[in-house]
Amino acid sequence: MREAARLAPGIHLPGDGFISFFGFGQFQGSGYSVVIANSINLSDKAHWVWRETLAIHRRAPETRIASSLSSIEIFVALYYGGILEFDPQEPFWDMRDRCVISKGHGSICMYPILAELGYFPRSELQRVCQTGSFLGGIPDPVIPGYETINGSLGHGLGVATGMALGLRRKKHPRSVFVVCGDGELHEGANWEAIMFATQHGLDNLHLIVDDNKTAMLDYTDNILSHQDLAARLEAFGWQTVRCDGHDTDALQTVLSQMKSTNSGQPKALLASTIKGRGVPGLENQPLAHILNPKRELLDSLLGDSSDE
Amino acid sequence: MREAARLAPGIHLPGDGFISFFGFGQFQGSGYSVVIANSINLSDKAHWVWRETLAIHRRAPETRIASSLSSIEIFVALYYGGILEFDPQEPFWDMRDRCVISKGHGSICMYPILAELGYFPRSELQRVCQTGSFLGGIPDPVIPGYETINGSLGHGLGVATGMALGLRRKKHPRSVFVVCGDGELHEGANWEAIMFATQHGLDNLHLIVDDNKTAMLDYTDNILSHQDLAARLEAFGWQTVRCDGHDTDALQTVLSQMKSTNSGQPKALLASTIKGRGVPGLENQPLAHILNPKRELLDSLLGDSSDE
Amino acid sequence: MNKPRAMRDELLENIWRAMDSNKEIFFVSADFGSPVLDRIRSDYPERFVNVGVAEQNLINVSAGLALEGFQVFAYAIAPFITMRCFEQIRVSLALLSEVRQMNVNLIGVGAGYSYVMSGPTHQCYEDITLMRSLPNFQIFSPADHKVAGLLFQHCVDHSGPKYLRLDAQVLPTIYEDAAPSLKKGFHVHQAGDTTCVMATGYMLHTALEIAASFRQQGIELGVIDLFDLARFDQTELIAELQEYTHLVTMEEGFHGRGGMDSLLFELIARHDLDLRMLNLGIDGKYRFELGSRVELHEKAGIGPVAAAKRISAFLER
Amino acid sequence: MNKPRAMRDELLENIWRAMDSNKEIFFVSADFGSPVLDRIRSDYPERFVNVGVAEQNLINVSAGLALEGFQVFAYAIAPFITMRCFEQIRVSLALLSEVRQMNVNLIGVGAGYSYVMSGPTHQCYEDITLMRSLPNFQIFSPADHKVAGLLFQHCVDHSGPKYLRLDAQVLPTIYEDAAPSLKKGFHVHQAGDTTCVMATGYMLHTALEIAASFRQQGIELGVIDLFDLARFDQTELIAELQEYTHLVTMEEGFHGRGGMDSLLFELIARHDLDLRMLNLGIDGKYRFELGSRVELHEKAGIGPVAAAKRISAFLER
Ligand SMILES: Cc1ncc(C[n+]2csc(CCOP(=O)(O)OP(=O)(O)O)c2C)c(N)n1
Ligand SMILES: Cc1ncc(C[n+]2csc(CCOP(=O)(O)OP(=O)(O)O)c2C)c(N)n1
Ligand SMILES: [Mg+2]
Ligand SMILES: [Mg+2]
């Protein structure tokens, strides 16, 4: 299983795979990589995550639901689509791909994913935002599976470029993925990192923009538009590709192609998404970010089997 | 003279020129605008400034000479080429064009210009960097003629966009000019401002990049390249134009065209310059920023009539 | 009128009301809102701008607007409007205002633990220290929406850069009837025997609660609300403090790291007051625990129960 | 060896020497140099990177490298490496290091007035306060190149985020023969009668000069160099302070705003020391005057002459 996992489609190991570098990070064979066979139906999985995320939000209305619904398929493709190497038993397994979830506030959908993969007991999902729980409104690396501090936008990409450079210098075969919001890309710090990644040809760096075209108070275009974001990133020397951010198969295909393309340029996937996807009243609502669906709406969306 | 000045070529007054807006800033007729007739030979003026700047540096080696030599023609075109409206007798005259000198460290050449224009006595030029002088190694608005605090890079453009928006909202006819370094544009804060200016269609905002392709430790391309900076700015929605940053006539022409073009886009002039221009050993030297020419070299460049 | 409401809503409503006649007010947000903000956005679109998720530019744009004569209110989450753009604040506000006249008012929402569920990036324990480090800044830390609302007129009347540190939660109204004197910068809620509790922001609520419980044990604690952390009336405050032998400071921020306690240390040393001090604040570490605000406070030793115990122990020493 | 040299050159030389055998060292600069840096750049191009004029990214890249196991030295001008990227430091270093192991050492050059001619943006009076506000940070403020050089081994041996506050000028060597104990975090230069002067960084030179002149008048001042501003040995320092009735603090930064003086206020209050304090530092305003460092110091009241006068007056009170 583990060998198979490592050789699953979409996993590219340059050279002979594992090389040894100073002190830390030698391949220990201790990893347990949950890269998934083709048997998993990604869109079913996404639907399950969608339900679980709504259920969490019903229990913990402090969570940002609209933001967390737009990124579900992205994370499903990354974690169930054979894109990332990881080991729930050893979250900081050196041979993992690094996944930096920079739009932390909008990643509550990772809670059911991480729980199901075995990072922590599923029972924790019942306690989100409760006293004593480690699953808060904004995830931090006190949660197994998270790499960096979240909540403050615009840090993930910079830290990720540092990791990508570090991996490169160690001749480490793994990649770095970062998931950002489109509003988040207003932060100038990102553009410093974008220039940096180009300068150093960090083609082990993958930026995924959850491009729901909405920030906190409005559509991003009405606040500070990225106009043609792909064109901007390309002018900055990045390879970019856009796809439907709710189509798990498309995401899987594109991500696995991205991961195996190494042409000396950092890569960005602009995932076209809908903030508050699947919830009437949130979809296409400029203030979706701060809206909480009514309890009754959540109930009707979930039916009565929601709290499995 | 003052009327003539105001109608000099390159000065564009939208509508009927002066409009009244709340409380402050009504046109008082108190301004004395030194916009210069065609009789001034700009390149002679630039040469004079060059000599004066070297002379200042000879007296005050703490000043950044290479940076200050690359921007001479830009400032000569702005201040003697009929581009800016200003009044040395009333530095904060409301009807002035705002000129924000963001690369403050590299604007020592403004000292002779401001002194000659009458912002302060020429005798002050003898005291640069001396105890009790107000002309330091990095100019601040304690010097008449400076708008903002300098020294820390990457603030000028943001403040200038705020001014440009403010002028626009007051229906004030004047423009904002900002002079930045190319290295300075690494700072992410600039890119926040660049997006902002596009969003608000600030075509009263003019960025001039002293594009000497060199930052502090090296050529900018070796540190963090802008690659094709014009393409990047255009992707961000700016109108851009490039010209020889040491050709005063070209600068004058381009700047006056820029100023009179109002198409709803902010504008950038990329002035191709040479750091340390005219000083052997500084030109094309990646470390020009921190080098001080030897006293003998300065003497020979200046001849013996240097201290006028 | 005295129904508790969010500090920001009271302040923003005053701003909104004034924007009709006062054409110099400009409101700038870094993609941060409130119900009242929607009114500002829709009624004064010419003098409202959302700079996006870009706090650095928030400050620089505000500075530019202020240089053009606008009275600027800049609005964002407290840790971001103070820390993400700290050097912009230093250069374009604290420093520039020493040379040029400008009126910029930073409104930071989310003092202390007030964003309970959002973890340490949204919680704010360093802002008093940071803003105190900057000359030329006025700093206000109100304890209820009444004082938050009063600050509006002060901001418009007084030039210079200011920081308004607002709570994110709806807190009970403290100043039901009488408004405190902004000029004095502090308000004496009750006189005490030997011990005075000086609190700011949310902690005033805790201080009053503790004082009430001490009263039942026959101990009268003095309680002072220090809501102006930069330009309060020193002479008057010293006169108050001279009545006491013990001083307890309470702030929802790190203690011993340049916050309100450090301000009082300085004051006491400068004026040779003979006061023993207990400084209640958050210990120097970040916390990832979840819980209600009171629970988090109790764990941190600044909740009503924990703090009362520490004050008792202090008095017995 | 004891020829005075720039603190940064001594530190950077130690880093450069070690980079050959210690493959984990990574050096990151925000387009800031020194002669020794050129050697690092040319000899270890794989472990040197210039992020450009981009301090925010300097910190985040350093954090990323540290998460990958590198021992990172990040290098820039003091006000920019502390203030321009303050929230990056908070989030990606102070906060993240509470959960994940990382070793990042911020080297800031230009303490206090040391960039005399470059005006207030380059001068740095707030950095001690800012870095002290952050939990998990170690803070060092050496007074000569010897101590600056010693810090290298400490940085490599001890994980966690650290701030090294270096002077930009070449200062006389203080620790000619014996090195001070880094573990203790302070060094007693001389014992005094009733009054102890505690100084950090450049101000130690002034303190020693003043102590020499007081000696000629028959007064022995104690002089202590406090070069570790976060984790010095409290017990030992308190034992020292107990010998005195008067304490003078000297720092090249604002006084009364969370700097070294505030640290000592806290220490003294916590341990009920009976000490009168005089806190010498820069008054809360920015200055645009030009002059030599000593001239600027005299004007600010912290030069050898002005400070000596103030200390005399303090002792006479
Ligand atoms: C530095 C910082 N500034 C402001 C905020 C407040 N904030 C939280 S979410 C958000 C909107 C983010 O929009 P986007 O990045 O597009 O994320 P998404 O739409 O996926 O929620 C804002 C402004 C923050 N968390 N961090
Ligand atoms: C925020 C900030 N970071 C770093 C510096 C140090 N610094 C001064 S000049 C300079 C290089 C600037 O290069 P560029 O902007 O291209 O200016 P020029 O070449 O015209 O001198 C640097 C890094 C600074 N002044 N401000
Ligand atoms: Mg979005
Ligand atoms: Mg340059």
Side-chain angles (χ1 to χ4, degrees):
Chain A
M1 156 74 176
R2 291 178 44 213
E3 263 330 291
R6 241 174 253 116
L7 300 172
I11 303 296
H12 172 85
L13 296 181
D16 57 3
F18 307 109
I19 36 112
S20 119
F21 33 79
F22 53 82
F24 51 89
Q26 257 124 328
F27 176 58
Q28 304 284 334
S30 66
Y32 171 88
S33 169
V34 189
V35 177
I36 309 298
N38 292 330
S39 64
I40 288 189
N41 180 313
L42 293 181
S43 83
D44 286 355
K45 184 62 77 181
H47 185 67
W48 172 79
V49 174
W50 182 86
R51 291 177 56 84
E52 287 290 311
T53 306
L54 283 183
I56 289 173
H57 181 69
R58 188 168 58 170
R59 294 188 294 270
E62 302 93 333
T63 51
R64 289 294 191 202
I65 187 64
S67 297
S68 297
L69 295 179
S70 87
S71 55
I72 287 176
E73 288 79 7
I74 293 169
F75 291 120
V76 166
L78 286 171
Y79 282 84
Y80 295 99
I83 306 301
L84 296 183
E85 281 271 350
F86 55 87
D87 179 358
Q89 303 311 308
E90 193 185 342
F92 292 119
W93 179 40
D94 184 57
M95 291 311 290
R96 77 194 181 285
D97 289 306
R98 281 69 170 151
C99 182
V100 173
I101 302 175
S102 194
K103 54 160 280 188
H105 70 278
S107 70
I108 300 303
C109 57
M110 279 297 292
Y111 291 180
I113 295 175
L114 292 173
E116 199 210 27
L117 292 173
Y119 280 88
F120 49 78
R122 287 195 189 210
S123 55
E124 290 295 337
L125 299 179
Q126 299 299 321
R127 308 204 301 140
V128 173
C129 288
Q130 289 178 17
T131 302
S133 168
F134 56 79
L135 298 173
I138 298 177
D140 278 319
V142 290
I143 303 174
Y146 276 87
E147 296 272 347
T148 60
I149 298 286
N150 298 302
S152 175
L153 295 169
H155 294 299
L157 186 57
V159 175
T161 55
M163 292 167 131
L165 180 68
L167 291 173
R168 188 53 53 84
R169 290 292 186 264
K170 292 190 293 183
K171 302 206 168 38
H172 191 296
R174 287 296 177 260
S175 287
V176 184
F177 288 77
V178 204
V179 182
C180 283
D182 60 318
E184 180 173 12
L185 289 180
H186 291 155
E187 292 284 358
N190 290 307
W191 295 91
E192 298 178 2
I194 286 167
M195 290 187 240
F196 181 86
T198 301
Q199 182 76 16
H200 297 280
L202 297 177
D203 57 12
N204 57 347
L205 179 67
H206 307 80
L207 168 64
I208 303 170
V209 182
D210 178 354
D211 196 11
N212 56 29
K213 303 256 176 220
T214 314
M216 177 117 81
L217 294 190
D218 207 339
Y219 297 127
T220 309
D221 281 346
N222 293 339
I223 300 170
L224 199 62
S225 176
H226 294 297
Q227 299 187 346
D228 184 345
L229 182 56
R232 292 191 179 180
L233 287 167
E234 281 159 19
F236 273 73
W238 283 51
Q239 248 180 33
T240 66
V241 55
R242 184 177 281 282
C243 84
D244 178 346
H246 296 303
D247 180 338
T248 43
D249 292 338
L251 286 164
Q252 185 190 34
T253 307
V254 168
L255 285 168
S256 104
Q257 274 166 3
M258 268 174 89
K259 200 182 182 195
S260 56
T261 309
N262 293 295
S263 59
Q265 286 183 293
K267 305 161 234 174
L269 165 59
L270 311 183
S272 300
T273 54
I274 296 169
K275 204 153 169 169
R277 173 141 194 276
V279 178
L282 288 187
E283 285 199 3
N284 294 319
Q285 156 59 256
L287 278 173
H289 193 93
I290 54 168
L291 294 180
N292 280 5
K294 290 224 171 68
R295 177 107 199 168
E296 300 75 51
L297 176 58
L298 291 173
D299 287 343
S300 81
L301 288 168
L302 287 168
D304 46 11
S305 65
S306 55
D307 275 9
E308 11 179 337
Chain B
M1 158 76 175
R2 290 179 44 215
E3 261 332 291
R6 242 175 252 115
L7 300 172
I11 303 296
H12 173 87
L13 296 181
D16 56 3
F18 307 109
I19 37 114
S20 117
F21 32 80
F22 53 82
F24 50 91
Q26 256 124 330
F27 176 57
Q28 304 283 335
S30 67
Y32 173 87
S33 170
V34 188
V35 177
I36 310 298
N38 292 330
S39 64
I40 289 189
N41 180 313
L42 294 181
S43 83
D44 285 357
K45 185 61 76 179
H47 186 67
W48 172 79
V49 174
W50 181 86
R51 290 178 56 85
E52 287 289 312
T53 306
L54 282 184
I56 288 172
H57 180 69
R58 188 169 58 170
R59 294 190 293 270
E62 301 93 332
T63 52
R64 288 296 190 202
I65 187 62
S67 297
S68 297
L69 296 179
S70 85
S71 55
I72 287 175
E73 288 79 8
I74 293 169
F75 290 120
V76 166
L78 286 171
Y79 282 84
Y80 295 99
I83 307 300
L84 296 183
E85 280 272 350
F86 54 88
D87 179 358
Q89 303 311 308
E90 192 185 343
F92 291 120
W93 180 40
D94 184 57
M95 290 311 291
R96 77 194 181 285
D97 290 306
R98 282 67 170 151
C99 183
V100 173
I101 301 175
S102 195
K103 53 159 282 187
H105 70 278
S107 70
I108 300 305
C109 56
M110 279 296 293
Y111 291 180
I113 294 175
L114 292 172
E116 199 209 27
L117 291 172
Y119 279 88
F120 50 78
R122 287 194 190 212
S123 56
E124 290 295 337
L125 299 179
Q126 298 299 321
R127 308 204 300 139
V128 173
C129 288
Q130 288 179 19
T131 302
S133 168
F134 56 78
L135 298 173
I138 298 178
D140 278 319
V142 292
I143 304 174
Y146 275 87
E147 295 272 347
T148 59
I149 299 287
N150 298 302
S152 174
L153 295 169
H155 295 298
L157 186 57
V159 175
T161 56
M163 292 167 130
L165 181 68
L167 291 172
R168 187 52 55 83
R169 290 291 187 266
K170 292 190 293 182
K171 303 204 168 39
H172 190 296
R174 287 296 177 259
S175 287
V176 184
F177 288 77
V178 204
V179 181
C180 284
D182 60 319
E184 180 173 12
L185 289 180
H186 292 156
E187 291 284 358
N190 291 307
W191 294 92
E192 297 179 1
I194 286 167
M195 289 188 240
F196 182 87
T198 301
Q199 182 76 16
H200 297 282
L202 297 176
D203 56 13
N204 58 347
L205 179 67
H206 307 80
L207 168 64
I208 303 169
V209 182
D210 179 353
D211 197 11
N212 56 29
K213 304 258 176 217
T214 314
M216 177 116 83
L217 294 191
D218 207 339
Y219 297 127
T220 309
D221 281 346
N222 293 340
I223 300 169
L224 199 60
S225 176
H226 294 297
Q227 299 188 347
D228 184 346
L229 182 56
R232 291 190 180 182
L233 287 167
E234 281 159 19
F236 273 73
W238 284 51
Q239 247 179 36
T240 65
V241 55
R242 184 176 282 282
C243 85
D244 178 346
H246 296 303
D247 179 338
T248 45
D249 293 337
L251 286 164
Q252 185 189 33
T253 308
V254 168
L255 285 168
S256 104
Q257 274 167 2
M258 266 173 90
K259 200 183 181 195
S260 57
T261 308
N262 294 295
S263 59
Q265 284 182 295
K267 304 161 234 173
L269 165 58
L270 311 184
S272 300
T273 55
I274 295 169
K275 204 152 171 171
R277 173 140 195 276
V279 178
L282 287 187
E283 285 199 4
N284 295 319
Q285 155 59 255
L287 278 173
H289 193 94
I290 53 168
L291 294 179
N292 279 6
K294 290 224 169 68
R295 176 107 198 167
E296 299 75 53
L297 175 58
L298 291 173
D299 287 344
S300 82
L301 288 168
L302 287 168
D304 46 12
S305 64
S306 55
D307 275 8
E308 19 173 336
Chain C
M1 264 295 265
N2 287 346
K3 189 163 159 287
R5 77 189 292 210
M7 294 182 183
R8 62 176 160 191
D9 284 330
E10 184 79 6
L11 175 61
L12 264 56
E13 183 159 320
N14 289 350
I15 295 172
W16 170 75
R17 270 186 220 290
M19 282 179 85
D20 181 37
S21 61
N22 180 342
K23 306 281 185 230
E24 302 191 10
I25 297 176
F26 213 118
F27 198 100
V28 191
S29 165
D31 199 25
F32 183 59
S34 99
V36 183
L37 188 73
D38 294 339
R39 276 187 260 162
I40 296 180
R41 290 208 275 169
S42 63
D43 293 351
Y44 304 104
E46 288 287 296
R47 283 180 288 131
F48 169 83
V49 71
N50 182 349
V51 300
V53 196
E55 292 78 11
Q56 298 186 96
N57 205 37
L58 176 77
I59 302 302
N60 281 344
V61 163
S62 296
L65 288 166
L67 290 177
E68 290 304 330
F70 287 100
Q71 301 174 340
V72 184
F73 290 86
Y75 183 62
I77 300 179
F80 308 136
I81 204 174
T82 53
M83 299 194 251
R84 183 58 157 266
C85 43
F86 184 78
E87 206 239 359
Q88 277 76 17
I89 297 176
R90 178 187 198 241
V91 170
S92 300
L93 301 181
L95 252 158
L96 187 51
S97 69
E98 196 149 312
V99 195
R100 297 195 59 183
Q101 191 179 316
M102 51 201 304
N103 189 348
V104 177
N105 307 285
L106 308 182
I107 307 173
V109 176
Y113 277 110
S114 55
Y115 283 116
V116 245
M117 280 304 148
S118 302
T121 60
H122 278 60
Q123 293 160 5
C124 195
Y125 335 99
E126 301 94 337
D127 60 335
I128 297 182
T129 299
L130 264 77
M131 300 314 292
R132 283 193 65 238
S133 80
L134 294 174
N136 305 324
F137 250 89
Q138 302 174 51
I139 307 168
F140 296 97
S141 164
D144 75 359
H145 73 280
K146 297 293 285 287
V147 178
L150 281 178
L151 291 173
F152 166 71
Q153 199 54 48
H154 176 89
C155 289
V156 164
D157 292 343
H158 298 82
S159 202
K162 310 173 203 78
Y163 173 55
L164 281 50
R165 179 190 206 241
L166 306 189
D167 210 276
Q169 298 182 350
V170 176
L171 304 181
T173 311
I174 285 183
Y175 295 93
E176 288 282 356
D177 315 303
S181 150
L182 284 195
K183 206 169 143 57
K184 209 165 77 173
F186 65 91
H187 186 82
V188 179
H189 282 274
Q190 56 184 70
D193 314 323
T194 60
T195 304
C196 178
V197 181
M198 177 102 60
T200 196
Y202 179 98
M203 297 310 293
L204 180 65
H205 298 262
T206 310
L208 289 169
E209 187 178 334
I210 291 176
S213 79
F214 272 59
R215 174 168 297 158
Q216 297 190 332
Q217 303 160 40
I219 301 170
E220 289 291 333
L221 294 178
V223 178
I224 296 180
D225 175 10
L226 186 63
F227 53 82
D228 176 338
L229 294 170
R231 303 198 179 166
F232 57 88
D233 185 324
Q234 288 207 11
T235 317
E236 291 224 33
L237 190 64
I238 290 162
E240 284 296 332
L241 292 180
Q242 272 162 342
E243 305 297 314
Y244 298 100
T245 55
H246 289 63
L247 174 64
V248 180
T249 63
M250 295 185 75
E251 65 196 300
E252 203 183 12
F254 292 131
H255 64 84
R257 289 171 185 262
M260 183 182 76
D261 55 1
S262 140
L263 180 155
L264 287 160
F265 276 133
E266 165 96 357
L267 192 77
I268 288 171
R270 246 4 28 87
H271 298 88
D272 282 324
L273 299 180
D274 193 15
L275 272 173
R276 290 185 54 177
M277 283 248 265
L278 171 68
N279 304 108
L280 300 183
I282 299 162
D283 288 346
K285 83 197 254 322
Y286 294 103
R287 295 162 165 273
F288 296 88
E289 304 129 327
L290 298 172
S292 69
R293 192 165 189 179
V294 170
E295 284 169 337
L296 295 182
H297 277 202
E298 291 298 353
K299 278 197 187 158
I302 61 171
V305 177
K309 265 198 202 137
R310 291 167 72 186
I311 295 174
S312 297
F314 173 60
L315 299 190
E316 275 156 28
R317 267 203 300 162
Chain D
M1 263 296 265
N2 287 345
K3 190 164 160 286
R5 78 189 294 209
M7 293 182 184
R8 62 176 159 191
D9 284 329
E10 184 78 7
L11 175 61
L12 264 56
E13 183 159 320
N14 289 348
I15 295 173
W16 170 75
R17 269 187 220 291
M19 282 178 85
D20 181 37
S21 62
N22 180 344
K23 306 280 185 229
E24 304 192 9
I25 297 177
F26 213 116
F27 198 100
V28 191
S29 165
D31 200 25
F32 183 60
S34 100
V36 182
L37 188 72
D38 294 340
R39 275 188 261 161
I40 295 179
R41 291 208 276 168
S42 63
D43 293 351
Y44 304 104
E46 287 286 296
R47 283 181 289 132
F48 169 84
V49 71
N50 181 350
V51 299
V53 196
E55 292 78 10
Q56 298 186 94
N57 205 37
L58 175 77
I59 302 302
N60 282 343
V61 163
S62 297
L65 287 167
L67 290 178
E68 290 304 330
F70 288 100
Q71 301 174 341
V72 184
F73 289 87
Y75 182 62
I77 300 180
F80 308 136
I81 204 175
T82 53
M83 299 195 251
R84 184 57 157 266
C85 43
F86 185 78
E87 206 238 1
Q88 277 76 17
I89 296 176
R90 178 188 198 240
V91 170
S92 301
L93 301 181
L95 251 157
L96 188 50
S97 69
E98 196 149 313
V99 194
R100 297 195 60 184
Q101 190 179 316
M102 51 203 302
N103 189 349
V104 177
N105 306 284
L106 308 182
I107 307 173
V109 177
Y113 277 111
S114 55
Y115 283 117
V116 247
M117 281 303 149
S118 302
T121 60
H122 277 60
Q123 293 159 6
C124 195
Y125 335 99
E126 302 94 338
D127 60 335
I128 297 181
T129 299
L130 263 76
M131 301 314 292
R132 282 194 65 238
S133 80
L134 294 174
N136 304 324
F137 250 89
Q138 301 174 52
I139 307 168
F140 296 97
S141 164
D144 75 359
H145 74 280
K146 297 291 285 286
V147 178
L150 281 178
L151 290 173
F152 166 71
Q153 198 55 47
H154 176 88
C155 289
V156 164
D157 292 345
H158 298 81
S159 202
K162 309 174 202 77
Y163 173 54
L164 280 50
R165 178 190 208 241
L166 306 189
D167 210 275
Q169 298 181 350
V170 176
L171 304 181
T173 311
I174 286 185
Y175 296 93
E176 289 282 357
D177 315 304
S181 149
L182 284 194
K183 207 170 143 57
K184 209 165 77 171
F186 66 91
H187 186 83
V188 179
H189 282 275
Q190 55 184 69
D193 313 323
T194 61
T195 304
C196 177
V197 181
M198 177 102 59
T200 195
Y202 179 97
M203 297 310 293
L204 180 65
H205 298 262
T206 310
L208 289 169
E209 186 177 334
I210 291 176
S213 78
F214 271 61
R215 174 169 297 158
Q216 296 191 331
Q217 304 159 39
I219 302 169
E220 288 292 334
L221 294 177
V223 178
I224 296 180
D225 174 11
L226 186 62
F227 54 82
D228 177 338
L229 294 170
R231 304 199 178 166
F232 57 88
D233 187 324
Q234 288 207 9
T235 317
E236 290 224 33
L237 189 65
I238 290 161
E240 284 296 333
L241 292 180
Q242 272 162 342
E243 304 298 315
Y244 298 100
T245 55
H246 290 63
L247 174 63
V248 179
T249 62
M250 296 184 76
E251 64 196 301
E252 203 183 14
F254 292 131
H255 63 84
R257 290 172 184 261
M260 183 182 75
D261 54 1
S262 140
L263 180 155
L264 287 160
F265 277 134
E266 164 96 356
L267 192 77
I268 289 171
R270 248 3 30 88
H271 297 89
D272 283 324
L273 298 180
D274 193 15
L275 271 174
R276 290 184 55 178
M277 282 248 265
L278 170 69
N279 304 107
L280 300 182
I282 299 163
D283 287 346
K285 83 196 252 325
Y286 294 103
R287 295 163 164 272
F288 296 89
E289 305 128 327
L290 297 172
S292 69
R293 192 165 189 179
V294 170
E295 285 169 337
L296 295 181
H297 276 202
E298 291 298 354
K299 278 197 187 158
I302 60 170
V305 177
K309 266 199 201 135
R310 292 168 72 186
I311 295 174
S312 296
F314 172 61
L315 298 190
E316 275 156 27
R317 265 204 300 161

